[in-house]
Each structure stands twice: as structure tokens, then as C-alpha cells.
Amino acid sequence: MPKQDLSWIPNLLKKRVCTTFVEDSFSNGSRCQCGATRDSHPSVALGDYFSAAIVSHWDSTQHSSEQPTDAYGELEFAGAGKRHSYFLRLSSTTDPSVVFNIMRQTWKLGQPNLVVSVVGGEGRSKVKCWVREVLRQGLVKAAQSTGAWIITSGLKEGIGKCVGEAVRDHATAVSSVNLNKVVPIGVAPWGMVHNRVQLVDPEGSFPTKYFVQSTPRGTCSLDNNYKAFLLVDDGSEGRKGGEVGFRGRLEDYISRQRPGSASIDIPVLNMLISGEVSMVEVKLALKNSMPWLVLAGSGGLANLVSDIVENVQSDLMSTFGGAEEEEGSPKMVLRERITTKVKNHFPSEQDMDKLVDKVLSIYQNKDLISIYHAEGADDFDTVMLKVLVQASKHRVSVTTNPYVDELKLAVTWNRVDIAKSELFSGNIDWKYEDLEESMTDALENDKPQFVRLFIDNGLNIVNYLTYSRLEGLYDSISKTSQVGMLLQHFLEERINESNGQTCHVSLYEVRSGNGQILVSLLLENLLGEVCQPFYRYLLKVEAASTRRKALKKICKVLKEECPYRQVMCKHPWLCLFLWAVLQNRGEMAIFCWEMCGESVLTALGGCKILRELSKLETETDSKLSMKELATKFECMAHDVFSTCYQTKANYSYKLLIRKSNLWGGATCLKMAMAADTRYFFSHDGVQSLLSQIWWGDMERGTELWKLALTMIIPPLFPQFPCIFPYIITVSLFSGSAMNPQSGKCPFWVSRWKQFWYAPVTSFIGNVVMYFLFLFLYAYVLLVDFKPPPPEGPAVSEYVLYFWVFTFICEEIRETFIVDSKTFCQRLMLYFHDVWNKFDVLAISLFIAGLCCRMFSWSFNTGRGILCMDYMVFTLRLIHIFAIHRQLGPQIIILGKMIKDAFFFLFFLGVILSAYGVASQALLYQYDPSPDRVFRRVLYRPYLHIFGHIPVEEIDTGSYWDRDCTDNLTLINEGNEPCRDTSHNWLVVILLVIFLLVTNILLVNLLIATFSYTFSKVQECSDTYWKFQRYNLIVEYHFRPTLAPPFIILSHINLLIKRLLRKVPSTKHHRFALRLKGRDANKLVKWETFQKENFLALESKKRRGNDSERLKRMTAK
């Protein structure tokens, strides 16, 4: 921590210095009652004889003054590791709010859900072994489960040392994440700290080394197991108790703060272990209604308090304070009994009456004191919860349900086990009003187990979740998170689009409803065109309107009152699911998914959102967790669909193509494609549906040669049904359902349409015609490529031009049939496909070559471009054959290997250029010819790799039958320069090294990389192929029936039908099915039933695991 960050502390916090020397009668005048020697006092304190003469008792507030603190920063304990602790010297009168803010904001200590203040057992007395075990297994474990601060003296003695050791021992058994939940804090008197001079530095210590040594009586070293130290200075040295007042005020201040968005203040619990008579001042905390937990049997004061609380009858207090002090009155009887107890526990006490009075004042508040017995049946954290709830009942006079506070504490501590065993065991009648506030607390603080518990115990989510409360949940999202920053970005966009109109600018302003609309824009940005925008209907904005129009409409509507805010959410579990997914809350999102309808599509939607968010996330841990959760949702969608497919295949097919009202018209196939869920696409049920779509209404077992023969010779297609099966068999299971017009056509006409409308027919036609196109292209280049006009081009070349023109028309059609709204969005979606970029490159090269070949001056250039373009068109065959089951996976492996080859070429280029330049410079002192330099620097070393080594040129000792010269004039004119023989030995060595590195190291590295890639991709290449198969099926399903160049007829037909006759397309029915009424409800219920079967099976598997079985046995 830089020094300048804390330079403001001395101006804010002070220390105390004794300003009046009050002589200690037991020191013969050499020591002040503050504990310091006469020599250590300033001259002002020694010169005030008058004040010293009239004062008999030293008082911190009167006889000391405040000065800027000179000890603060970080503390490094010598020999205790690199972990630093924070420390701060402060005056005993310091405002606790200032110290608490420093601890939270400057020291970055976690917000506590509980504060346990442990007192007693100080000094050098030995702590009992079972007390140490209670601290280790009870206190620290409970603090870790609740996220607590533990406040002690922080000194290496007594209970403070035991707590430090318990924290240290517990730290070895938990992860670093859980370790940070326990924050031990020491509040110690400055004058009792041994070697405190090491901590003094007016400019701060960052860090200072602190040596722990054996200490003399009167001082004690700090304990290295504590996270922070508050060293309270009251101006004294070697005196205890100076920190008690500040510690009490600090605990009281903390008890009035709230952790995060919790519904209760931070509970503070005081714990008494052992203790001396001087610690009877616990009555100060009792006045603030703070609960006390006394460890019975730990010794000293703890035994006395537990004795009088448990064994002195409470009926004696009924008239306490009302009767006069006369013999035999209840008050006197009570005093006599307490006096007897005090004498039994502290027989050597001198001022017995004063001690009895203090104990009586404690007894008056016995309701705030609870006794803990180590042999009790309840766990320590359960006891703490009951103690705090009991104390809260005394602070709240009227409450609807006496168990509400206990429930709030259990939610704050995230102890669902306590809530189940103590509060939801069936003995308490919970109402909706009792659970409402705790439900909000559980949602905002990501406690899904409590959400499940509340739902199981009567909380109706439909009545709970209004749009107003949903906005409140979005209000709880941190503005520093990825989603918070995205929402802020959309807010700024909304302000810019308002054109100066008055709009609320708060990101989550409840009155304006910004939260819902901003979330709608965020979801639209993440989901794209997969579904219609969410929440726009709330402000009467049409889903089909553009973003600019929608924002203007929103700004106009938000000026008025928004009655929708009190309306119940239409789909509450889906709203909560989206809210949880956006924040990457895995367990909460999974629970909401379990409660949602349309489970397959919902899981795919969550996967899509998380993968889009992971692309925007910059933090590595958050990115990985998003990807892992997205993969988990993909697996759940796959498993639920597998359950559906095994039960009823026909229903599962409808599930994939059904348009969802819940998700704005999205389908499972469309969402899965957008989410890049390759594992989901690899399912046999998905592939079976794709195969049905691929073959259309034809039989899937039809041979391809029959299809090709029928296309080439159409008269072979049967004119009558009786001979139809001999050529091709057509399935009738979905013909009438998918094409309503089929019933109006004759049978042979409907069969003819079924044949030509099948994607496989379109694919075979395109393959056949594409081979003819490549044959024509090759014929033109090799045989019939005539000179520029007027001699050329030939007729065959004009046919080729027309053929490419039909390609261009088809690419234009593909660009404008997508669902995107704007032209830019259509182009972005079109170029998202790599093969579309390939098509654009091929067409662009063809147009450029065509233009160049028309002129004599650029004829050869144009012919060269067309020759290169032929290679591009030929490589396009790779995409066509990606549908093949054997070739498809191999094409994927080839693509991966090409990427590996680029890395190999990078290393090869570095070594090639290094060797080429060095060898050329050593062989030839001067050669100005760029052509020769290029060939000898790059081309010649590249040929070396394949064994072509011109030894006579490289080795000057060999004869080289070539004319050369050393004349610079001739060399500049282009003659071959002679070789330099002075460094020939170095050239030979470089050649040997170059061949060793390239032919052995790099080539074998490339082979090993290819082998690794092949083995890795081969395992999942089938999955990749099945995923890519969907794109190809969709492409040929929506393609016109005829292939280029005859596709121009289909384009003309489409223009007439779509633009003039306004006839909608029926092809999308196979990929999007709109179900209504009874059919839709039946499918949703069936899917929900299958999801419940899947969850029950998964739960059974978890219970069957050995670890789970062991946990159940341990719980019993």
C-alpha cells in the first residue's frame, strides 16, 4: 500500500499523551499514575505542580491531550510468513464510525454478517483444553459459516492467544475463499503492547517488521494470527482497561449497521470466557441490549454469572426494586443469595459489597444472558443464532411472528440447515407476509437454497414477483459488474436518443422503469435475432419496431405514470432465470430453470446469454465460470431432450421446431444454433429430425443414383402412382400437414413437388451442375479462351459469364432473406459464414479478370486472375461435401491442421529469412539485382528443405560452370557477381545448422502437432460435423429448387410470388411450428413431466454416490 494513500490519517486520528504528572505513591516519585516514568514525560507535564498537587487520581480525559497519531500502516511479523496485518494507534475518544469506515474502505475488510466480541481469560492464566476445543470447533467454525468478525484483545496471551491459534488451525483445513470470511481483529491498549516503539513512524509503516519476543510482566506481544489491530491509546502505559470504552462504542456502532442489502442490522454477540473480578463491567454492554453468551465451566467470572443466572430463582425479581430494604424482603433475600454465590467464587475479594452491587445490576438484565454448556446437544452456531434472536425480541416490542427475526438471521448467515431444523420443521405456521422480506434478501444475496425453502413452504412466486420488485432486483446488480456496465451503456444511449426530452437518468430509477427497458435492450443485444425483444410490451412498444423508434416511444411513455409496475410478472420464473443468468449466478439460475417451463429452450437460452457475456468479460475467472455454466446448461438441455426422445420421438421433434411464446417466437433449433451448442446437435434425436428435413417427404433409404438419374432424365419420373415405387419411394406421413395446398393438386403433381422441394434433391442438382460449371470453366481456360474483342470471347465463355451471373443473383437472394432488420445487420450475418466470404472472393476475382481480359493491354493479367479464380471455385467443393458422413469430419480435421500450419510457417519464415540473408551476404559482397537477391534469400533456402541443395554454388571449393565478374560496372549492368571465398567455411556451417533445424526439428514439430490435432479433433469431429450439417441442410432447404444456371427461373418465380402476388413461403414450416391452444399446452405439460423425471433420476444418482451416502450416514 503506497504511503501517500494513508497520509491523511494523522490529520484525522489522534494519540493521547500524558500532560500532568500525578505521582504514584508506590514508586517513590519516579513513576506517574499513568504508568510512565518521570523522565518519559514532557516538560509541560512535569512543570504543572499546582495541578499535580490537587489531584490524587490520574484520569485519561483530564490529564492527557490528543496529538496526531504516529503509528499506522501494515505490520509484518518476523518469521511468520508474508501475510501482513493492519494496525492503527488511536485515541480512546475516537469516533467509532471513522474507524469502521477505515476498516471497510481502506483496509478492505469484508462486510461482517456477525460480530463476536470475546472477553475474559486475559493474563497469563492457563486456558482449559476443552475451552480451546470450543473456540476451534465452535466459535471459528461458526464464524466461517456466517462470515463474522471476531474481536478480542489481539495479544499473545490468554483468550486472545487461544482465538488466534484456533483461527490459524482452522485456516489449514479450509480454502482461501472461506478463510477470508473469518476476520480476527484485536482491540488492545497501546500501553500494553510490547516493543510498540517498532510501530512508531509518523509517515506510516508499509510494512514495518515486528519481532515477537518473550515479554516481561506488564506488556504483551501482538498475535500474528490477527488481520487487524486497533491499538487504543488513553495516555497510560502498562495499564489494562483503557480500550474498554472505545471497544464498547465500536461494537454498539457496528450493531446499528446493515451488511449489504440485508434486512437486519449487523448482530453483535459478546462472549464471556473465564474472566477476573475486574471484568464485571460487562454491565455496560447490557445497557445497550447486546446479548451475552457465557461459557459455563470455563472458570472465574463466567462460572459466577452462569451460576446466578441458572440457579437464582427468577420469582425473586418480581418485586425487586419495589420493596424497602428491610430484613426478610425479597430484595434482601436476593442480595443474600447473590452474596453467597460471589463469596463461593471469589472468597478473597476485598470490596465485597461493591462487587455484589455490580452482580445485582447484571442480574437485572439476565434475559440478555445465555449460558452455553459444552456438553449440550445444540451446535455452537445454532446456540449463537438463538441467543441473538432472543436478544432481538427484547429490542422489538411488537412483531407479527416471533420467529421472523430468527429467519432473517439465518438468511443473513446463509444457514439453511438451521432454518430447516429449527424454523421449518412443521411446528410454525408461516404466512406470506412473514417470508416476503426474507425472500427478497435471499434473492439479492444469491442464496438459492433459501429461495427453494421458501417456495416449498408456501410462498407463491406469482403473487410475490411484480415488475416493480423485479426492477428492485435489477437495482441490486453491482454497477462494476459486466452486466452493470452494459446497462449503463444502454442508459447513455437512451439519453442520447431522447433528443433533449426530460428523462430520468438513474440507471435503476424505480419511478421510470428504466431497469426493465434497459434489460430489454441488453437481452436484445445478447440474443440477437433469435427471438423477439423482452419487456417491450410493458410500455406498449411494438416488438417489430426499430431500436431508435422504440427508445423514442419509451421516453415518451415514461413521462407518464407506469401502471405496469404493480402488475404481476407474466412469467415470473423466466424473469428470475434471466436475472440470475445475467449475473452468472449458477446455482440460482439452475433452480429457476428447474421451476421454468419449456426447459430445453430455456437451458439453451441461458447458454446463449452466458456465451455472449463471456466474450465481453475481461476478467479470466469470470470468463471461465461463465463458459462452465454455459456448458452445464447445454448438457442439461441435451439430457432433458434425451429423456423426451426416449419417451416419445414424435413429440420431441415438435419440441425442437415449436415456436415458443415464452421466448418470443424462438425455437430450440434456432437457439441451439445461435448458442453454438455442438453437443446438443450431436444428439440422435436432433440428427434424426434433420435427416427427415433433408430427405423431405421422400424415403430416407432412397439411393442417390436414383435421384441423380431422375433429375437428368425427368421422363423417368413416374406419371402414375402404380409405377412410382420402382423409381423412388415417397413418405406420406407429413405431406399434407406441411403443405396445405397439396390436397388441391393431382397425386402425380404433389409427388413431383415433393421430389423437387426436398433439400437432398436441391443438393444433388447443385453438385451435378457445379461439376459441369467447373468443367466449362476449365474448357474455357484451356481450349476456348480467345483474344480480346472483336476476336473474342467465345460462345462458351459467354455461357460461363451467364452462369456466374446466376451465382451473383443467388448470393443477393441469400443476403436479403435473413431476418435482420437493417441492411448492415444483413451484411454482417451474411459475412459471418466463412464460405460466404469465399463466394464473394471468387465472384470478385472473376469480375476483375473479366474486366481485364477485355482489353489487350491487360489481357494476360485478366487471364492470370481467371486462372487463380478457378482454384477458388474448385476449393468451394470442400463446403459442398461437408454433408458427407465420412468426408465431413475429415474436412474439419483438415481445417484445424491448416491453422497449425500457419504457426509452423511463422517459425519457418523466421529461420528461413535469418539463414537466407546471412548466407547471401557471406557469399556475395555486392549484388544489386532484386530478382537474384529474392531467389537466393528466400526461394533457394526453401528448396533446401526438400533436398535441392546446389553444392557447386554454395561451396566455393566445388567447380561452378557459370560466368561471373568482380567488375562493379558490369555487376550494376546485371552480370553475375563472383562468390566471396573468405567466409565459405561459415556458409557451410550455417547450411548444416539450417538443415538440422528445419528438416529435423521443425518438420518433426509439425508432424507432432498434426498428430496431436488429429487425435484431439478425431474424438469430437463427429460432433462438429453434426453441428455444421445443420447449416448445410438449412441452406439447401431454403434454396430455390433449380440449380445454377437454371436457378434464374426460380428467382423470377420468387419475385412474382413474393412481390406481386404476395404469396408467403411454406418452407419455413419444417423449421418453425406454431402450436396453439390444447396442442401447445399438451406439449408443454409433457416436456415438464419429462424434465421432472430427469431431475428425479439425477437426484437418485447423487444420492447413490459414495460421498453422498457417507454424508447421510454422518448426519444420522
Side-chain angles (χ1 to χ4, degrees), residues 20 49 57 75 134 162 168 180 212 288 413 420 438 483 508 523 631 682 684 706 811 836 861 877 921 976 1021:
T20 303
Y49 298 106
H57 179 71
L75 195 63
V134 168
C162 293
R168 179 199 61 197
N180 293 331
V212 179
N288 295 327
W413 294 359
K420 286 181 179 179
S438 296
V483 174
Y508 304 106
L523 292 174
T631 303
S682 66
D684 292 340
K706 293 182 179 180
E811 296 303 318
N836 287 338
T861 302
L877 286 172
E976 176 75 23
S1021 60

Short mmCIF file of all heavy atoms in Angstrom, two decimals, residues 20 49 57 75 134 162 168 180 212 288 413 420 438 483 508 523 631 682 684 706 811 836 861 877 921 976 1021:
data_model
loop_
_atom_site.label_atom_id
_atom_site.label_comp_id
_atom_site.label_asym_id
_atom_site.label_seq_id
_atom_site.Cartn_x
_atom_site.Cartn_y
_atom_site.Cartn_z
N THR A 20 -0.04 15.67 32.60
CA THR A 20 0.04 16.02 34.02
C THR A 20 0.67 14.85 34.78
O THR A 20 0.13 13.73 34.75
CB THR A 20 -1.34 16.33 34.61
OG1 THR A 20 -1.94 17.39 33.86
CG2 THR A 20 -1.23 16.74 36.06
N TYR A 49 2.96 21.85 38.71
CA TYR A 49 2.95 21.40 40.12
C TYR A 49 1.61 21.62 40.77
O TYR A 49 1.18 20.87 41.64
CB TYR A 49 4.04 22.13 40.91
CG TYR A 49 5.43 21.84 40.39
CD1 TYR A 49 6.12 22.81 39.67
CD2 TYR A 49 6.03 20.61 40.63
CE1 TYR A 49 7.40 22.54 39.20
CE2 TYR A 49 7.31 20.35 40.17
CZ TYR A 49 7.99 21.31 39.45
OH TYR A 49 9.23 21.05 38.97
N HIS A 57 -5.86 11.28 41.84
CA HIS A 57 -6.09 10.14 40.94
C HIS A 57 -5.95 10.61 39.50
O HIS A 57 -6.53 11.61 39.08
CB HIS A 57 -7.49 9.54 41.17
CG HIS A 57 -7.80 8.39 40.27
ND1 HIS A 57 -7.19 7.15 40.42
CD2 HIS A 57 -8.64 8.28 39.22
CE1 HIS A 57 -7.66 6.34 39.50
NE2 HIS A 57 -8.55 7.01 38.77
N LEU A 75 1.69 -4.33 9.14
CA LEU A 75 2.55 -4.99 10.12
C LEU A 75 2.98 -6.33 9.56
O LEU A 75 2.17 -7.13 9.11
CB LEU A 75 1.77 -5.18 11.43
CG LEU A 75 2.56 -5.53 12.69
CD1 LEU A 75 3.50 -4.39 13.05
CD2 LEU A 75 1.59 -5.78 13.84
N VAL A 134 -13.65 -25.70 22.09
CA VAL A 134 -14.87 -24.95 21.78
C VAL A 134 -14.55 -23.79 20.84
O VAL A 134 -15.29 -23.50 19.89
CB VAL A 134 -15.54 -24.45 23.07
CG1 VAL A 134 -16.63 -23.42 22.76
CG2 VAL A 134 -16.12 -25.61 23.85
N CYS A 162 -5.58 -17.92 22.37
CA CYS A 162 -6.32 -19.12 22.01
C CYS A 162 -7.17 -18.91 20.75
O CYS A 162 -7.25 -19.78 19.89
CB CYS A 162 -7.21 -19.56 23.18
SG CYS A 162 -6.30 -20.12 24.63
N ARG A 168 -5.80 -19.93 13.23
CA ARG A 168 -4.68 -20.49 12.47
C ARG A 168 -4.92 -21.96 12.15
O ARG A 168 -4.70 -22.40 11.01
CB ARG A 168 -3.40 -20.35 13.29
CG ARG A 168 -2.15 -20.91 12.63
CD ARG A 168 -1.07 -21.16 13.67
NE ARG A 168 -1.52 -22.13 14.67
CZ ARG A 168 -0.96 -22.30 15.86
NH1 ARG A 168 0.07 -21.54 16.23
NH2 ARG A 168 -1.42 -23.21 16.71
N ASN A 180 -11.08 -16.09 4.16
CA ASN A 180 -11.31 -14.65 4.20
C ASN A 180 -12.61 -14.28 4.89
O ASN A 180 -12.85 -13.11 5.18
CB ASN A 180 -11.30 -14.08 2.78
CG ASN A 180 -9.93 -14.18 2.13
OD1 ASN A 180 -8.92 -14.14 2.82
ND2 ASN A 180 -9.90 -14.31 0.81
N VAL A 212 8.30 -10.76 17.67
CA VAL A 212 7.58 -11.32 18.81
C VAL A 212 8.62 -11.97 19.74
O VAL A 212 9.34 -12.88 19.34
CB VAL A 212 6.53 -12.35 18.37
CG1 VAL A 212 5.82 -12.93 19.58
CG2 VAL A 212 5.54 -11.71 17.41
N ASN A 288 -26.77 -1.56 26.52
CA ASN A 288 -27.04 -1.37 25.10
C ASN A 288 -27.84 -2.53 24.50
O ASN A 288 -27.96 -2.64 23.28
CB ASN A 288 -25.72 -1.23 24.32
CG ASN A 288 -24.97 0.03 24.73
OD1 ASN A 288 -25.58 1.04 25.06
ND2 ASN A 288 -23.65 -0.05 24.72
N TRP A 413 -26.89 -15.26 7.56
CA TRP A 413 -25.74 -16.15 7.75
C TRP A 413 -25.67 -17.26 6.69
O TRP A 413 -24.72 -18.01 6.65
CB TRP A 413 -25.80 -16.81 9.12
CG TRP A 413 -25.64 -15.85 10.25
CD1 TRP A 413 -25.43 -14.50 10.18
CD2 TRP A 413 -25.68 -16.18 11.65
NE1 TRP A 413 -25.34 -13.97 11.43
CE2 TRP A 413 -25.48 -14.98 12.37
CE3 TRP A 413 -25.85 -17.35 12.37
CZ2 TRP A 413 -25.45 -14.92 13.75
CZ3 TRP A 413 -25.82 -17.31 13.74
CH2 TRP A 413 -25.63 -16.09 14.43
N LYS A 420 -34.02 -25.10 8.34
CA LYS A 420 -34.82 -26.31 8.14
C LYS A 420 -35.11 -27.02 9.46
O LYS A 420 -36.23 -27.45 9.72
CB LYS A 420 -34.09 -27.26 7.19
CG LYS A 420 -34.11 -26.83 5.74
CD LYS A 420 -33.38 -27.86 4.87
CE LYS A 420 -33.42 -27.47 3.41
NZ LYS A 420 -32.69 -28.45 2.55
N SER A 438 -37.70 -11.79 3.61
CA SER A 438 -36.58 -12.72 3.59
C SER A 438 -36.36 -13.29 2.19
O SER A 438 -35.22 -13.58 1.81
CB SER A 438 -36.82 -13.86 4.58
OG SER A 438 -36.86 -13.36 5.91
N VAL A 483 -22.53 -6.86 -16.39
CA VAL A 483 -23.90 -6.52 -16.74
C VAL A 483 -24.22 -5.09 -16.33
O VAL A 483 -24.89 -4.35 -17.05
CB VAL A 483 -24.87 -7.52 -16.06
CG1 VAL A 483 -26.31 -7.10 -16.29
CG2 VAL A 483 -24.64 -8.92 -16.59
N TYR A 508 -31.25 2.64 -12.41
CA TYR A 508 -32.33 1.79 -11.93
C TYR A 508 -33.39 2.63 -11.22
O TYR A 508 -33.86 2.28 -10.16
CB TYR A 508 -31.78 0.72 -10.97
CG TYR A 508 -30.71 -0.12 -11.57
CD1 TYR A 508 -29.38 0.03 -11.21
CD2 TYR A 508 -31.03 -1.08 -12.52
CE1 TYR A 508 -28.40 -0.76 -11.77
CE2 TYR A 508 -30.05 -1.87 -13.10
CZ TYR A 508 -28.75 -1.70 -12.71
OH TYR A 508 -27.76 -2.48 -13.27
N LEU A 523 -30.84 -7.73 -23.37
CA LEU A 523 -31.18 -9.08 -23.86
C LEU A 523 -31.28 -9.12 -25.37
O LEU A 523 -30.88 -10.10 -26.01
CB LEU A 523 -32.50 -9.54 -23.23
CG LEU A 523 -32.46 -9.81 -21.72
CD1 LEU A 523 -33.85 -10.11 -21.20
CD2 LEU A 523 -31.52 -10.96 -21.41
N THR A 631 -21.75 -24.39 -20.52
CA THR A 631 -21.61 -25.81 -20.87
C THR A 631 -22.56 -26.66 -20.04
O THR A 631 -23.13 -27.65 -20.54
CB THR A 631 -20.16 -26.25 -20.65
OG1 THR A 631 -19.29 -25.42 -21.42
CG2 THR A 631 -19.98 -27.70 -21.06
N SER A 682 -25.41 -32.95 -31.54
CA SER A 682 -24.93 -34.30 -31.78
C SER A 682 -25.92 -35.37 -31.31
O SER A 682 -25.70 -36.56 -31.57
CB SER A 682 -23.59 -34.52 -31.06
OG SER A 682 -23.76 -34.47 -29.64
N ASP A 684 -28.92 -37.92 -31.19
CA ASP A 684 -29.54 -38.69 -32.27
C ASP A 684 -30.91 -38.16 -32.64
O ASP A 684 -31.31 -38.21 -33.82
CB ASP A 684 -29.66 -40.16 -31.85
CG ASP A 684 -28.30 -40.83 -31.73
OD1 ASP A 684 -27.34 -40.30 -32.32
OD2 ASP A 684 -28.20 -41.87 -31.05
N LYS A 706 -30.61 -42.93 -57.98
CA LYS A 706 -31.97 -42.76 -58.48
C LYS A 706 -32.35 -41.29 -58.55
O LYS A 706 -33.00 -40.85 -59.51
CB LYS A 706 -32.95 -43.51 -57.58
CG LYS A 706 -32.80 -45.02 -57.60
CD LYS A 706 -33.85 -45.68 -56.73
CE LYS A 706 -33.72 -47.20 -56.77
NZ LYS A 706 -34.75 -47.86 -55.92
N GLU A 811 -26.45 -15.20 -54.45
CA GLU A 811 -25.83 -14.60 -53.27
C GLU A 811 -26.63 -13.39 -52.79
O GLU A 811 -26.76 -13.16 -51.59
CB GLU A 811 -24.39 -14.20 -53.58
CG GLU A 811 -23.46 -15.36 -53.90
CD GLU A 811 -23.40 -16.39 -52.79
OE1 GLU A 811 -23.35 -15.99 -51.62
OE2 GLU A 811 -23.42 -17.60 -53.10
N ASN A 836 -19.37 -17.91 -47.30
CA ASN A 836 -19.90 -16.74 -48.00
C ASN A 836 -18.78 -15.78 -48.38
O ASN A 836 -18.81 -15.16 -49.45
CB ASN A 836 -20.95 -16.03 -47.13
CG ASN A 836 -22.25 -16.80 -47.06
OD1 ASN A 836 -22.55 -17.63 -47.93
ND2 ASN A 836 -23.03 -16.56 -46.02
N THR A 861 -3.01 -10.25 -67.77
CA THR A 861 -3.35 -10.11 -66.34
C THR A 861 -4.72 -10.69 -66.05
O THR A 861 -4.92 -11.41 -65.05
CB THR A 861 -3.31 -8.63 -65.93
OG1 THR A 861 -2.02 -8.09 -66.22
CG2 THR A 861 -3.62 -8.46 -64.46
N LEU A 877 -15.68 -26.80 -53.46
CA LEU A 877 -16.21 -28.16 -53.35
C LEU A 877 -16.09 -28.72 -51.94
O LEU A 877 -16.85 -29.61 -51.55
CB LEU A 877 -15.48 -29.09 -54.33
CG LEU A 877 -15.83 -28.94 -55.82
CD1 LEU A 877 -14.89 -29.79 -56.66
CD2 LEU A 877 -17.28 -29.33 -56.07
N ALA A 921 24.74 -12.74 -47.87
CA ALA A 921 25.72 -11.69 -47.57
C ALA A 921 27.14 -12.26 -47.47
O ALA A 921 28.11 -11.58 -47.82
CB ALA A 921 25.34 -10.99 -46.27
N GLU A 976 26.46 -11.51 -63.47
CA GLU A 976 26.55 -12.32 -62.26
C GLU A 976 27.82 -11.98 -61.50
O GLU A 976 28.92 -12.04 -62.07
CB GLU A 976 26.56 -13.80 -62.63
CG GLU A 976 26.74 -14.75 -61.47
CD GLU A 976 25.50 -14.88 -60.62
OE1 GLU A 976 24.38 -14.62 -61.14
OE2 GLU A 976 25.62 -15.25 -59.44
N SER A 1021 -14.79 -34.87 -33.73
CA SER A 1021 -15.03 -34.41 -35.10
C SER A 1021 -16.45 -34.74 -35.55
O SER A 1021 -17.07 -33.99 -36.30
CB SER A 1021 -14.01 -35.04 -36.05
OG SER A 1021 -14.11 -36.46 -36.02
#
